[in-house]
Each structure stands twice: as structure tokens, then as C-alpha cells.
């Protein structure tokens, strides 16, 4: 009987310790999720629901300083690491090695962003590159090849981008062609929502960082010119800051 009592007591002891340990772990995980507190005017308007879509931000060319704004409007963003490479700096104590990460984010529906970050650790560099990529999200203009039927599927015209010695060119392609490109640029175009496209490139394309930047610049130039379908008269309106000036004038309680 005494042995059974000791065994039961030991069992209860192990159970209490185990439960207590699991409880602490779950508590820490929940504590990491903090509510977003905007610190910019644009962030306050977005959180309060006074800006309905990200296109309003693009229309007035408002600078985005908080990546939570992009998460609010584009919750389906996917990120992909394009390249990770070590970089070195010569110091008096020797060489200092850091890692540079290049990340592309996109929703495969007309929005794509590119971010590059350098850090001592790979994980930190990737996290920073994802945040910068979200802050650099741009709209992608898509068009047709030939007959205007169905949804836009390719680039609206031939566009070119350049970074370093790399020159990339995107050419419209018929529906069903697919993306004819190298693996990395192909993934960037897929995240941008382009289904059919021909590509040509020149220069040192083995430098993946410059290659991806050239493709991104070419994609961003799709909205850089006017075509006849954009010749409609522009009706100017107030910016969101002017329309909501009374709301922005209210003092905000900050928790420092």
C-alpha cells in the first residue's frame, strides 16, 4: 500500500510539472500576437476603414510606411526567396560576413513587390526582405494579345527593364503560350499574375539579384505610359488626407 501511495504521488508530481510546462509555452505564443497600432496618418485611415482599397493609395501616390497596410488589403500575398548570397566587408579585425536576401511577394492577381535586405543571420535577412517587399508592392497592368476576350492574360505591350548589366524585355504572347522565361523571372511573373509572356535578356544574367530587379522594373513600367483606353478625362478629387482632415486632427493616445 505504501509503495502504491508513493507511486501515485510521483505520478501526480510528473503530471503537474508537465501541465505547467505546456501551459507556459502556449501563453508565450499568444503573447507574441499584438494588435496593430498605426503610427502614420495613412495607417490610421486604413485601420478605421476610411480607405476601402489599395487602389486609392496608388491613385493619390501616397507613401506606405507600414507593412501592415499591405497585409490589410492583400491578405493572400505569397512570398518566395529568389536569392541568398554572402557578402563581405574588410575591416581591421578581418572580414565581416553578412547575408543578403532577395524576396518577391505577390498575390498572382496584379500586385507584386521586391525587397532586398542584408543581415548577419539568414532568417533575419529574409524577414527584413519580406517587410521591404510588402512596402514596395506595385500594381501590374495586364493586357491582351490579339482579340480582347476573357480576362487580361499578358503584358499590354513590349516593356524593358535594366539593372546593372542585365537588360530584360517582356513581349506579349498569345493565350495558352505560358511564360517563356528562366526559372526565377518566371516565378516573379507568376506572382504578378501574368499568364502568357515571352522574355529576352542580355548581360550577366547569372547575377540573380540584378536579373530579378530588371524583371521587376519592366513589370513596374507597364503603368508608365498612356494608351488610348486611358485617354478619358480625369476628374480630380480630394486626397484621403483632405477628406478626413477632421478625423486626423484628433489626438491619438500613444503607449510608449
Amino acid at each position: 500500500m505504501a509503495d502504491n501511495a508513493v507511486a501515485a504521488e510521483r505520478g501526480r508530481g510528473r503530471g503537474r510539472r508537465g501541465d505547467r510546462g505546456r501551459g507556459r509555452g502556449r501563453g508565450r505564443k499568444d503573447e507574441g500576437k499584438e494588435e496593430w497600432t498605426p503610427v502614420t496618418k495613412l495607417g490610421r485611415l486604413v485601420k478605421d476603414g476610411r480607405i476601402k482599397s489599395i487602389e486609392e493609395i496608388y491613385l493619390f501616390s501616397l507613401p506606405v510606411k507600414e507593412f501592415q497596410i499591405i497585409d490589410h488589403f492583400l491578405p493572400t500575398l505569397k512570398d518566395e526567396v529568389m536569392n541568398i548570397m554572402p557578402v563581405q566587408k574588410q575591416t581591421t579585425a578581418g572580414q565581416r560576413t553578412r547575408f543578403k536576401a532577395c524576396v518577391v511577394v505577390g498575390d498572382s492577381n496584379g500586385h507584386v513587390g521586391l525587397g532586398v535586405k542584408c543581415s548577419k543571420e539568414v532568417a533575419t535577412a529574409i524577414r527584413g526582405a519580406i517587410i521591404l517587399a510588402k512596402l514596395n508592392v506595385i500594381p501590374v497592368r495586364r493586357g491582351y494579345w490579339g482579340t480582347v476576350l476573357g480576362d487580361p492574360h499578358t503584358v499590354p505591350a513590349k516593356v524593358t527593364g535594366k539593372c546593372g548589366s542585365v537588360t530584360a524585355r517582356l513581349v506579349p504572347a498569345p493565350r495558352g503560350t505560358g511564360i517563356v522565361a528562366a526559372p526565377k523571372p518566371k516565378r516573379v511573373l507568376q506572382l504578378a499574375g501574368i499568364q502568357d509572356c515571352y522574355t529576352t535578356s542580355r548581360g550577366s544574367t547569372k547575377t540573380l539579384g540584378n536579373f530579378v530587379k530588371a524583371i521587376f522594373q519592366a513589370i513596374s513600367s507597364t503603368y508608365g505610359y498612356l494608351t488610348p483606353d486611358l485617354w478619358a478625362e480625369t476628374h480630380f478629387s480630394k486626397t484621403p488626407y483632405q477628406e478626413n482632415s477632421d478625423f486626423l486632427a484628433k489626438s491619438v493616445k500613444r503607449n510608449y
Side-chain angles (χ1 to χ4, degrees):
M1 294 294 292
D3 295 339
N4 293 337
V6 172
E9 185 66 22
R10 289 176 180 172
R12 286 197 297 272
R14 284 196 298 271
R16 284 197 297 270
R17 284 196 298 270
D19 294 341
R20 190 165 61 246
R22 288 195 297 271
R24 281 203 302 268
R26 286 197 299 269
R28 290 197 191 101
K29 189 176 295 184
D30 294 339
E31 290 171 2
K33 299 179 181 178
E34 297 180 358
E35 185 181 0
W36 171 41
T37 303
V39 296
T40 61
K41 292 181 180 179
L42 182 61
R44 291 171 58 192
L45 294 177
V46 169
K47 187 173 182 181
D48 197 61
R50 297 175 182 266
I51 295 181
K52 303 299 182 183
S53 66
I54 195 172
E55 276 67 32
E56 292 185 38
I57 298 176
Y58 294 142
L59 179 63
F60 296 99
S61 300
L62 303 177
V64 179
K65 300 295 184 182
E66 298 176 89
F67 70 93
Q68 292 91 344
I69 296 175
I70 304 299
D71 291 335
H72 178 82
F73 288 121
L74 305 174
T76 60
L77 274 183
K78 296 181 181 179
D79 57 82
E80 183 151 337
V81 179
M82 293 288 111
N83 185 34
I84 298 177
M85 61 178 295
V87 293
Q88 291 182 332
K89 175 183 177 182
Q90 188 68 38
T91 63
T92 56
Q95 294 177 341
R96 187 186 68 176
T97 303
R98 296 195 298 173
F99 298 95
K100 186 170 72 171
C102 179
V103 176
V104 174
V105 299
D107 63 350
S108 301
N109 192 25
H111 300 94
V112 67
L114 173 66
V116 179
K117 179 67 175 178
C118 192
S119 181
K120 294 180 181 179
E121 298 181 2
V122 175
T124 308
I126 293 176
R127 281 197 302 269
I130 291 174
I131 292 175
L132 292 177
K134 290 179 179 179
L135 295 177
N136 292 330
V137 167
I138 59 171
V140 181
R141 186 181 177 193
R142 292 167 290 178
Y144 298 90
W145 184 96
T147 309
V148 183
L149 294 175
D151 296 328
H153 62 97
T154 184
V155 289
K158 297 176 183 178
V159 290
T160 305
K162 190 175 189 303
C163 182
S165 67
V166 182
T167 302
R169 193 184 192 203
L170 306 181
V171 181
R175 193 182 297 273
T177 302
I179 299 176
V180 183
K184 297 297 183 181
K186 182 176 182 179
R187 187 59 184 146
V188 176
L189 294 172
Q190 287 174 344
L191 290 173
I194 296 174
Q195 302 173 10
D196 309 291
C197 184
Y198 294 123
T199 63
T200 63
S201 59
R202 292 182 59 191
S204 181
T205 55
K206 68 179 181 180
T207 310
L208 290 178
N210 289 350
F211 198 8
V212 173
K213 287 180 182 178
I215 293 290
F216 183 74
Q217 183 180 347
I219 294 174
S220 63
S221 63
T222 55
Y223 268 112
Y225 61 94
L226 284 174
T227 52
D229 58 329
L230 298 177
W231 286 356
E233 184 180 355
T234 303
H235 299 282
F236 296 99
S237 60
K238 293 183 179 180
T239 65
Y241 295 158
Q242 292 174 328
E243 289 184 353
N244 301 281
S245 58
D246 295 337
F247 171 77
L248 295 175
K250 297 178 182 178
S251 61
V252 181
K253 183 180 180 181
R254 302 184 184 275
N255 296 323
Y256 293 104

